[in-house]
Amino acid sequence: SPPGTGPDIYAWLPFSQAGLAAAADLVRRFSAAYASYTYTQSTASYERQLSGMVTAQLAAVLGRAFATPGVAQIRTQQKQIATGTGQITAIRGFGSNNITFVVAITQKVTGTRGTTRTTTDDAVTLTGAGANWQVEDLELASAGNT
């Protein structure tokens, strides 16, 4: 290779540069959708905003979490509106059809009690290949295998 250029690391990986870029873009879009909601939103509406980005199994899990009675009641009582963003900080691991990213998901929640901003480090695992990926798992980065 010419001076100043390193090896083509993508020759060693089970995905192309374009595939990795597509996966990273999905992680950013998913993080924003996952951490964004409004108190007027139904569970079905929340699940729809994740549609196409997550597996059916994860959509059901996230929908159940969104609908948790105590959480939903507080969201409505405090008229909460949340906006989220995701910043990838690392690739934790990968296989022939999956990639796990560590993502700092920041959520800004505004409601009758003011505004709070929280950031959590989450492990977001995608399944797929090429440019076709879906989020199949989300957990705190400190949980599970590291």
Side-chain angles (χ1 to χ4, degrees), residues 31-32 34-39 75 79-86 104-111 114-120:
S31 298
Y34 163 71
S36 298
Y37 59 79
T38 177
Y39 68 95
R75 188 171 51 240
K79 298 185 176 356
Q80 293 178 344
I81 298 172
T83 54
T85 58
I105 298 179
T106 300
Q107 185 180 52
K108 177 183 166 190
V109 180
T110 303
T115 299
T116 59
R117 184 183 306 267
T118 56
T119 300
T120 57

Side-chain angles (χ1 to χ4, degrees), residues 15 40 59 75 128 130 135 141:
F15 41 80
T40 59
R75 188 171 51 240
V135 178

Side-chain angles (χ1 to χ4, degrees), residues 92-124:
R92 174 177 285 180
F94 59 87
S96 60
N97 65 348
N98 62 65
I99 306 173
T100 301
F101 293 89
V102 177
V103 186
I105 298 179
T106 300
Q107 185 180 52
K108 177 183 166 190
V109 180
T110 303
T112 58
R113 297 218 174 148
T115 299
T116 59
R117 184 183 306 267
T118 56
T119 300
T120 57
D121 288 324
D122 294 289
V124 179

Side-chain angles (χ1 to χ4, degrees), residues 17-138:
Q17 186 171 357
L20 181 60
D25 180 62
L26 173 61
V27 167
R28 286 188 293 271
R29 289 185 294 115
F30 163 77
S31 298
Y34 163 71
S36 298
Y37 59 79
T38 177
Y39 68 95
T40 59
Q41 194 168 15
S42 67
T43 300
S45 169
Y46 178 73
E47 288 177 344
R48 274 194 302 278
Q49 78 189 29
L50 301 172
S51 179
M53 290 187 273
V54 300
T55 63
Q57 295 89 339
L58 184 58
V61 168
L62 296 177
R64 282 193 302 275
F66 185 82
T68 301
V71 174
Q73 184 178 17
I74 291 168
R75 188 171 51 240
T76 302
Q77 286 174 343
Q78 297 181 10
K79 298 185 176 356
Q80 293 178 344
I81 298 172
T83 54
T85 58
Q87 179 71 41
I88 295 169
T89 58
I91 294 176
R92 174 177 285 180
F94 59 87
S96 60
N97 65 348
N98 62 65
I99 306 173
T100 301
F101 293 89
V102 177
V103 186
I105 298 179
T106 300
Q107 185 180 52
K108 177 183 166 190
V109 180
T110 303
T112 58
R113 297 218 174 148
T115 299
T116 59
R117 184 183 306 267
T118 56
T119 300
T120 57
D121 288 324
D122 294 289
V124 179
T125 301
L126 279 56
T127 184
N132 298 307
W133 298 95
Q134 281 192 308
V135 178
E136 73 172 348
D137 189 49
L138 168 73

